[in-house]
Amino acid sequence: MFTYLNPEIRQRLIAEGKLVRLDADGQLIDVHTPEAPGELAINLLGPIPLPIALPSTQATVQWYAAVRSTELSQVETLASELRARGGQQLFSHLVSPLAVNSVLVVGNPTENPLVRVHSNCLTGDVFGSQRCDCGPQLDAAIARMHADAAGGYLVYMAGHEGRGIGLWAKAATYLLQDAGEDTYEANRSLGLPDDSRDFTDAAVLIKHFVGAEAFRLLTNNPKKIEDLQHFGLRDITQEKHVTGVSQWNKRYLHAKRSWGHKLDDEDI
Ligand SMILES: Nc1nc2c(ncn2[C@@H]2O[C@H](COP(=O)(O)OP(=O)(O)OP(=O)(O)O)[C@@H](O)[C@H]2O)c(=O)[nH]1
């Protein structure tokens, strides 16, 4: 549990309820209890207000940062060694691979909220690349939640880059795509799975924020729904989420459709 933070500050955050720990069912567990080996526990920091510019307005969403205890404790051990050697300036090397997921709470979610489980995409979400539809899907998800009376939750999966193959391999697949392969063929050429995303942590976070209640998932990918159902989230309604279609990503979207995404002719 987050101790490379000053222990006094950590205690203060715990006392304020801003640093909590969740079990695999999304339930709060005592932050002081030592973890059983192999037990899934997620640390959650927040809420942290973020003012966000939407297309026609401004909204403040509540951000939560989520990280597995197992990941933190590895960093923790190395951090204390570094500190002992006076190498604090190397902290950035240490923490950069830490997969910190996020939840944005948009509006005041009530019954049957919108939920988006968004896989991170540096090129689309941050650089605004139109080779995929990720950036517009991310922006539109927040805007749709803000406009919806039932509000919503955006779960941003930091370790999902390139459908789970990571940024370096994704860069290589782009070069293969430019030589003629489609998205999935390019993954296979590298000997990598079509899709290796793990939705365990997304399911835990949804269980924590939404509980076992019904929600509407913004997605065109039926496999994403099956993956979440596999973790016990049964009451999911699919809400189509098509946006950002351009000449640059038509081929990418056609490949997604042939892989099973629910996209109609008029969508793409
Ligand atoms: N391997 C690979 N990953 C890509 C490529 N383009 C985007 N991605 C990744 O694809 C992920 C998003 O997955 P998508 O298949 O676009 O969509 P989805 O999340 O399954 O489905 P929706 O919920 O409908 O958006 C992100 O992690 C992107 O980084 C690509 O050309 N190759």
Side-chain angles (χ1 to χ4, degrees), residues 173-188:
T173 67
Y174 272 11
L175 293 172
L176 295 175
Q177 288 167 30
D178 290 347
E181 298 186 12
D182 79 20
T183 359
Y184 300 101
E185 288 165 349
N187 276 28
R188 284 176 223 142

Side-chain angles (χ1 to χ4, degrees), residues 59 194 251:
D194 288 6
R251 192 162 164 250

Side-chain angles (χ1 to χ4, degrees), residues 116 120 163 177 183 197 219-221 224 252 256:
R116 166 82 183 154
N120 85 301
R163 298 192 191 105
Q177 288 167 30
T183 359
R197 286 176 286 181
T219 187
N220 311 312
N221 182 359
K224 200 181 266 188
Y252 166 83
K256 290 214 301 195

Side-chain angles (χ1 to χ4, degrees), residues 87-154:
Q88 197 129 0
Q89 74 280 9
L90 296 174
F91 257 49
S92 59
H93 293 277
L94 190 65
V95 293
S96 57
L98 194 65
V100 180
N101 298 318
S102 288
V103 178
L104 295 187
V105 182
V106 186
N108 295 307
T110 55
E111 218 174 290
N112 205 10
L114 289 171
V115 174
R116 166 82 183 154
V117 178
H118 191 89
S119 297
N120 85 301
C121 178
L122 182 82
T123 47
D125 299 342
V126 179
F127 299 153
S129 159
Q130 295 179 64
R131 283 181 74 128
C132 59
D133 56 349
C134 299
Q137 278 188 316
L138 176 61
D139 295 344
I142 298 172
R144 285 182 72 174
M145 290 171 193
H146 179 71
D148 197 288
Y153 300 94
L154 181 108

Side-chain angles (χ1 to χ4, degrees), residues 2 5 13 18-20 43-48 63-66:
F2 217 107
L5 204 66
L13 293 174
K18 289 180 180 157
L19 174 55
V20 297
N43 301 290
L44 196 64
L45 265 179
I48 302 152
W63 173 44
Y64 290 81

Side-chain angles (χ1 to χ4, degrees), residues 7 15 17 20-21 33 49 62 99 128 133 152 163 166 193 197 208 212 246 266:
V20 297
R21 193 157 61 162
T33 323
Q62 300 300 328
D133 56 349
R163 298 192 191 105
R197 286 176 286 181
H208 177 68
S246 73
E266 58 272 22

